[in-house]
PDB file of all heavy atoms in Angstrom:
ATOM      1  N   THR A 123      29.828  46.482  36.764  1.00 98.00           N
ATOM      2  CA  THR A 123      30.247  45.168  36.245  1.00 98.00           C
ATOM      3  C   THR A 123      29.085  44.196  36.096  1.00 98.00           C
ATOM      4  O   THR A 123      28.891  43.617  35.030  1.00 98.00           O
ATOM      5  CB  THR A 123      31.280  44.518  37.210  1.00 98.00           C
ATOM      6  OG1 THR A 123      32.278  45.456  37.549  1.00 98.00           O
ATOM      7  CG2 THR A 123      31.925  43.300  36.580  1.00 98.00           C
ATOM      8  N   ASN A 124      28.329  44.062  37.160  1.00 98.00           N
ATOM      9  CA  ASN A 124      27.312  43.013  37.188  1.00 98.00           C
ATOM     10  C   ASN A 124      26.075  43.349  36.373  1.00 98.00           C
ATOM     11  O   ASN A 124      25.429  42.465  35.821  1.00 98.00           O
ATOM     12  CB  ASN A 124      26.884  42.701  38.629  1.00 98.00           C
ATOM     13  CG  ASN A 124      28.011  42.140  39.474  1.00 98.00           C
ATOM     14  OD1 ASN A 124      29.135  42.030  39.005  1.00 98.00           O
ATOM     15  ND2 ASN A 124      27.751  41.836  40.708  1.00 98.00           N
ATOM     16  N   VAL A 125      25.725  44.629  36.348  1.00 98.00           N
ATOM     17  CA  VAL A 125      24.443  44.999  35.751  1.00 98.00           C
ATOM     18  C   VAL A 125      24.582  45.842  34.486  1.00 98.00           C
ATOM     19  O   VAL A 125      24.214  45.424  33.394  1.00 98.00           O
ATOM     20  CB  VAL A 125      23.554  45.798  36.784  1.00 98.00           C
ATOM     21  CG1 VAL A 125      22.180  46.047  36.196  1.00 98.00           C
ATOM     22  CG2 VAL A 125      23.456  45.052  38.092  1.00 98.00           C
ATOM     23  N   ILE A 126      25.155  47.025  34.668  1.00 98.00           N
ATOM     24  CA  ILE A 126      25.077  48.014  33.564  1.00 98.00           C
ATOM     25  C   ILE A 126      25.835  47.555  32.323  1.00 98.00           C
ATOM     26  O   ILE A 126      25.341  47.701  31.199  1.00 98.00           O
ATOM     27  CB  ILE A 126      25.531  49.408  34.080  1.00 98.00           C
ATOM     28  CG1 ILE A 126      24.642  49.795  35.244  1.00 98.00           C
ATOM     29  CG2 ILE A 126      25.457  50.450  32.937  1.00 98.00           C
ATOM     30  CD1 ILE A 126      25.000  51.052  35.971  1.00 98.00           C
ATOM     31  N   SER A 127      27.036  46.955  32.507  1.00 98.00           N
ATOM     32  CA  SER A 127      27.748  46.509  31.325  1.00 98.00           C
ATOM     33  C   SER A 127      26.936  45.472  30.565  1.00 98.00           C
ATOM     34  O   SER A 127      26.903  45.474  29.336  1.00 98.00           O
ATOM     35  CB  SER A 127      29.129  45.945  31.704  1.00 98.00           C
ATOM     36  OG  SER A 127      28.982  44.773  32.454  1.00 98.00           O
ATOM     37  N   GLY A 128      26.282  44.588  31.280  1.00 98.00           N
ATOM     38  CA  GLY A 128      25.462  43.541  30.616  1.00 98.00           C
ATOM     39  C   GLY A 128      24.270  44.157  29.895  1.00 98.00           C
ATOM     40  O   GLY A 128      23.962  43.743  28.761  1.00 98.00           O
ATOM     41  N   PHE A 129      23.630  45.127  30.524  1.00 98.00           N
ATOM     42  CA  PHE A 129      22.487  45.762  29.856  1.00 98.00           C
ATOM     43  C   PHE A 129      22.942  46.561  28.654  1.00 98.00           C
ATOM     44  O   PHE A 129      22.204  46.632  27.657  1.00 98.00           O
ATOM     45  CB  PHE A 129      21.723  46.689  30.856  1.00 98.00           C
ATOM     46  CG  PHE A 129      20.944  45.907  31.909  1.00 98.00           C
ATOM     47  CD1 PHE A 129      20.254  46.593  32.924  1.00 98.00           C
ATOM     48  CD2 PHE A 129      20.882  44.518  31.884  1.00 98.00           C
ATOM     49  CE1 PHE A 129      19.513  45.876  33.852  1.00 98.00           C
ATOM     50  CE2 PHE A 129      20.132  43.813  32.849  1.00 98.00           C
ATOM     51  CZ  PHE A 129      19.457  44.486  33.841  1.00 98.00           C
ATOM     52  N   GLU A 130      24.120  47.151  28.744  1.00 98.00           N
ATOM     53  CA  GLU A 130      24.654  47.873  27.584  1.00 98.00           C
ATOM     54  C   GLU A 130      24.921  46.949  26.420  1.00 98.00           C
ATOM     55  O   GLU A 130      24.602  47.267  25.272  1.00 98.00           O
ATOM     56  CB  GLU A 130      25.962  48.602  27.998  1.00 98.00           C
ATOM     57  CG  GLU A 130      25.771  50.032  28.502  1.00 98.00           C
ATOM     58  CD  GLU A 130      25.223  50.917  27.410  1.00 98.00           C
ATOM     59  OE1 GLU A 130      25.992  51.380  26.520  1.00 98.00           O
ATOM     60  OE2 GLU A 130      23.987  51.124  27.400  1.00 98.00           O
ATOM     61  N   ILE A 131      25.488  45.777  26.727  1.00 98.00           N
ATOM     62  CA  ILE A 131      25.765  44.805  25.654  1.00 98.00           C
ATOM     63  C   ILE A 131      24.420  44.358  25.052  1.00 98.00           C
ATOM     64  O   ILE A 131      24.303  44.253  23.830  1.00 98.00           O
ATOM     65  CB  ILE A 131      26.602  43.625  26.183  1.00 98.00           C
ATOM     66  CG1 ILE A 131      27.987  44.144  26.566  1.00 98.00           C
ATOM     67  CG2 ILE A 131      26.739  42.526  25.105  1.00 98.00           C
ATOM     68  CD1 ILE A 131      28.915  43.112  27.191  1.00 98.00           C
ATOM     69  N   ALA A 132      23.419  44.141  25.900  1.00 98.00           N
ATOM     70  CA  ALA A 132      22.095  43.736  25.385  1.00 98.00           C
ATOM     71  C   ALA A 132      21.539  44.852  24.483  1.00 98.00           C
ATOM     72  O   ALA A 132      20.959  44.547  23.427  1.00 98.00           O
ATOM     73  CB  ALA A 132      21.141  43.480  26.572  1.00 98.00           C
ATOM     74  N   ARG A 133      21.686  46.095  24.892  1.00 98.00           N
ATOM     75  CA  ARG A 133      21.206  47.200  24.056  1.00 98.00           C
ATOM     76  C   ARG A 133      21.860  47.149  22.656  1.00 98.00           C
ATOM     77  O   ARG A 133      21.182  47.278  21.635  1.00 98.00           O
ATOM     78  CB  ARG A 133      21.548  48.577  24.709  1.00 98.00           C
ATOM     79  CG  ARG A 133      21.181  49.769  23.867  1.00 98.00           C
ATOM     80  CD  ARG A 133      21.604  51.070  24.505  1.00 98.00           C
ATOM     81  NE  ARG A 133      23.032  51.315  24.577  1.00 98.00           N
ATOM     82  CZ  ARG A 133      23.791  51.682  23.552  1.00 98.00           C
ATOM     83  NH1 ARG A 133      23.275  51.824  22.360  1.00 98.00           N
ATOM     84  NH2 ARG A 133      25.097  51.892  23.716  1.00 98.00           N
ATOM     85  N   ILE A 134      23.161  46.909  22.669  1.00 98.00           N
ATOM     86  CA  ILE A 134      23.909  46.929  21.372  1.00 98.00           C
ATOM     87  C   ILE A 134      23.459  45.718  20.509  1.00 98.00           C
ATOM     88  O   ILE A 134      23.165  45.863  19.333  1.00 98.00           O
ATOM     89  CB  ILE A 134      25.426  46.895  21.637  1.00 98.00           C
ATOM     90  CG1 ILE A 134      25.830  48.181  22.373  1.00 98.00           C
ATOM     91  CG2 ILE A 134      26.225  46.720  20.362  1.00 98.00           C
ATOM     92  CD1 ILE A 134      27.190  48.098  23.098  1.00 98.00           C
ATOM     93  N   LEU A 135      23.418  44.533  21.139  1.00 98.00           N
ATOM     94  CA  LEU A 135      23.061  43.340  20.407  1.00 98.00           C
ATOM     95  C   LEU A 135      21.644  43.355  19.874  1.00 98.00           C
ATOM     96  O   LEU A 135      21.324  42.718  18.851  1.00 98.00           O
ATOM     97  CB  LEU A 135      23.258  42.066  21.270  1.00 98.00           C
ATOM     98  CG  LEU A 135      24.644  41.739  21.750  1.00 98.00           C
ATOM     99  CD1 LEU A 135      24.692  40.389  22.417  1.00 98.00           C
ATOM    100  CD2 LEU A 135      25.669  41.762  20.611  1.00 98.00           C
ATOM    101  N   SER A 136      20.772  44.097  20.564  1.00 98.00           N
ATOM    102  CA  SER A 136      19.352  44.091  20.158  1.00 98.00           C
ATOM    103  C   SER A 136      19.093  45.057  18.987  1.00 98.00           C
ATOM    104  O   SER A 136      17.961  45.122  18.510  1.00 98.00           O
ATOM    105  CB  SER A 136      18.459  44.443  21.333  1.00 98.00           C
ATOM    106  OG  SER A 136      18.698  45.796  21.725  1.00 98.00           O
ATOM    107  N   LYS A 137      20.135  45.753  18.556  1.00 97.00           N
ATOM    108  CA  LYS A 137      19.953  46.616  17.389  1.00 97.00           C
ATOM    109  C   LYS A 137      19.629  45.772  16.158  1.00 97.00           C
ATOM    110  O   LYS A 137      20.078  44.616  16.068  1.00 97.00           O
ATOM    111  CB  LYS A 137      21.272  47.404  17.085  1.00 97.00           C
ATOM    112  CG  LYS A 137      21.515  48.497  18.122  1.00 97.00           C
ATOM    113  CD  LYS A 137      22.749  49.263  17.719  1.00 97.00           C
ATOM    114  CE  LYS A 137      22.888  50.500  18.575  1.00 97.00           C
ATOM    115  NZ  LYS A 137      23.970  51.373  18.112  1.00 97.00           N
ATOM    116  N   LYS A 138      18.865  46.381  15.284  1.00 96.00           N
ATOM    117  CA  LYS A 138      18.360  45.640  14.112  1.00 96.00           C
ATOM    118  C   LYS A 138      19.492  44.934  13.338  1.00 96.00           C
ATOM    119  O   LYS A 138      19.346  43.778  12.923  1.00 96.00           O
ATOM    120  CB  LYS A 138      17.636  46.620  13.181  1.00 96.00           C
ATOM    121  CG  LYS A 138      16.679  45.934  12.241  1.00 96.00           C
ATOM    122  CD  LYS A 138      15.893  46.936  11.477  1.00 96.00           C
ATOM    123  CE  LYS A 138      15.153  46.281  10.377  1.00 96.00           C
ATOM    124  NZ  LYS A 138      14.612  47.189   9.426  1.00 96.00           N
ATOM    125  N   GLN A 139      20.633  45.646  13.242  1.00 96.00           N
ATOM    126  CA  GLN A 139      21.691  45.068  12.390  1.00 96.00           C
ATOM    127  C   GLN A 139      22.286  43.782  12.990  1.00 96.00           C
ATOM    128  O   GLN A 139      22.883  42.981  12.250  1.00 96.00           O
ATOM    129  CB  GLN A 139      22.800  46.098  12.136  1.00 96.00           C
ATOM    130  CG  GLN A 139      23.706  46.388  13.312  1.00 96.00           C
ATOM    131  CD  GLN A 139      23.834  47.879  13.542  1.00 96.00           C
ATOM    132  OE1 GLN A 139      22.856  48.548  13.822  1.00 96.00           O
ATOM    133  NE2 GLN A 139      25.050  48.405  13.452  1.00 96.00           N
TER     134      GLN A 139
END
Side-chain angles (χ1 to χ4, degrees):
Chain A
T123 312
N124 296 2
V125 186
I126 302 173
S127 67
F129 288 178
E130 267 296 279
I131 294 175
R133 175 183 69 76
I134 296 160
L135 297 188
S136 66
K137 286 183 171 188
K138 201 174 169 193
Q139 74 230 61

